[in-house]
Amino acid sequence: PLKGEGKTSLSCHLATSLARAGRRTLLIDGDLRKPSLHEIFDSAPEPGLCEVLRGEAGWETAVVSTPTPGLSLMLAGRLDAAAVESLPREQFTDFLQEAREQFDFVIVDTSPILQVTDPLIISQHVDAVLFSVLREVSQLPLIQMAYARLSSMGVRVLGAVVAGVPAKGNRYYGSYTSPKAK
């Protein structure tokens, strides 16, 4: 729902895991106002999604490969009002449709749901949403509010991934040592 709850980390880990499992995966930095994937992947920030939305670049030119085989990346690019205004238009829908045909998975890392309208617009064009929840940071009323906003728009929410939960050792499974010989 808000910044600092692990959404970018979740997106990167999920995309990398899918690529390592042999699935062609495209990770898109849809956080147009505070993009960070260019820093994480140490890549030039443009051309990216904003250039595609403005019609300055074809989406294929804005997709770059990463060191992980099967993982491609589209960064956010240079933000301006024209790019944001293009999100609800056909070129974004057309781009996502073409990306779906070229990749097994398309993962979009967006801005926080409760802070700007961009992710609400983007969510209408994706198959489903996955929440990132950070223990001792995320607040249940805000998670519920974000869920309600998405649900009211008919967006499918798969669930949530909760991070920051400490391991408890042998709490549930006991020891994995060999039984003693009798």
Side-chain angles (χ1 to χ4, degrees), residues 77-131:
R78 185 180 38 81
L79 177 67
D80 66 1
V84 174
E85 291 168 4
S86 296
L87 278 173
R89 298 203 179 119
E90 279 184 40
Q91 60 261 43
F92 183 62
T93 306
D94 293 345
F95 149 64
L96 282 180
Q97 184 56 42
E98 290 179 34
R100 282 184 181 107
E101 293 169 7
Q102 298 297 316
F103 294 92
D104 298 319
F105 287 93
V106 177
I107 301 191
V108 184
D109 177 38
T110 68
S111 307
I113 295 288
L114 297 179
Q115 294 186 307
V116 292
T117 59
D118 307 356
L120 295 173
I121 295 168
I122 291 170
S123 69
Q124 294 177 328
H125 300 285
V126 300
D127 296 325
V129 170
L130 186 61
F131 275 100

Side-chain angles (χ1 to χ4, degrees), residues 7-157:
K7 63 181 186 47
T8 300
S9 294
L10 174 60
S11 298
C12 290
H13 287 294
L14 178 58
T16 302
S17 294
L18 289 166
R20 287 184 178 157
R23 308 306 290 259
R24 293 169 308 164
T25 305
L26 174 62
L27 175 60
I28 301 171
D29 195 343
D31 189 344
L32 304 179
R33 297 167 196 269
K34 290 194 176 187
S36 61
L37 292 183
H38 64 282
E39 294 169 352
I40 293 169
F41 286 90
D42 193 27
S43 187
E46 49 185 271
L49 180 56
C50 289
E51 285 72 24
V52 171
L53 292 172
R54 288 191 299 266
E56 297 171 4
W59 73 269
E60 298 92 344
T61 8
V63 172
V64 296
S65 59
T66 68
T68 303
L71 178 60
S72 298
L73 180 66
M74 178 182 281
L75 301 167
R78 185 180 38 81
L79 177 67
D80 66 1
V84 174
E85 291 168 4
S86 296
L87 278 173
R89 298 203 179 119
E90 279 184 40
Q91 60 261 43
F92 183 62
T93 306
D94 293 345
F95 149 64
L96 282 180
Q97 184 56 42
E98 290 179 34
R100 282 184 181 107
E101 293 169 7
Q102 298 297 316
F103 294 92
D104 298 319
F105 287 93
V106 177
I107 301 191
V108 184
D109 177 38
T110 68
S111 307
I113 295 288
L114 297 179
Q115 294 186 307
V116 292
T117 59
D118 307 356
L120 295 173
I121 295 168
I122 291 170
S123 69
Q124 294 177 328
H125 300 285
V126 300
D127 296 325
V129 170
L130 186 61
F131 275 100
S132 176
V133 176
L134 186 57
R135 182 177 179 258
E136 296 185 12
V137 173
S138 300
Q139 299 173 18
L140 187 56
L142 297 177
I143 295 167
Q144 291 170 331
M145 186 183 304
Y147 176 81
R149 283 189 187 173
L150 291 169
S151 293
S152 71
M153 297 173 67
V155 175
R156 181 176 169 215
V157 177

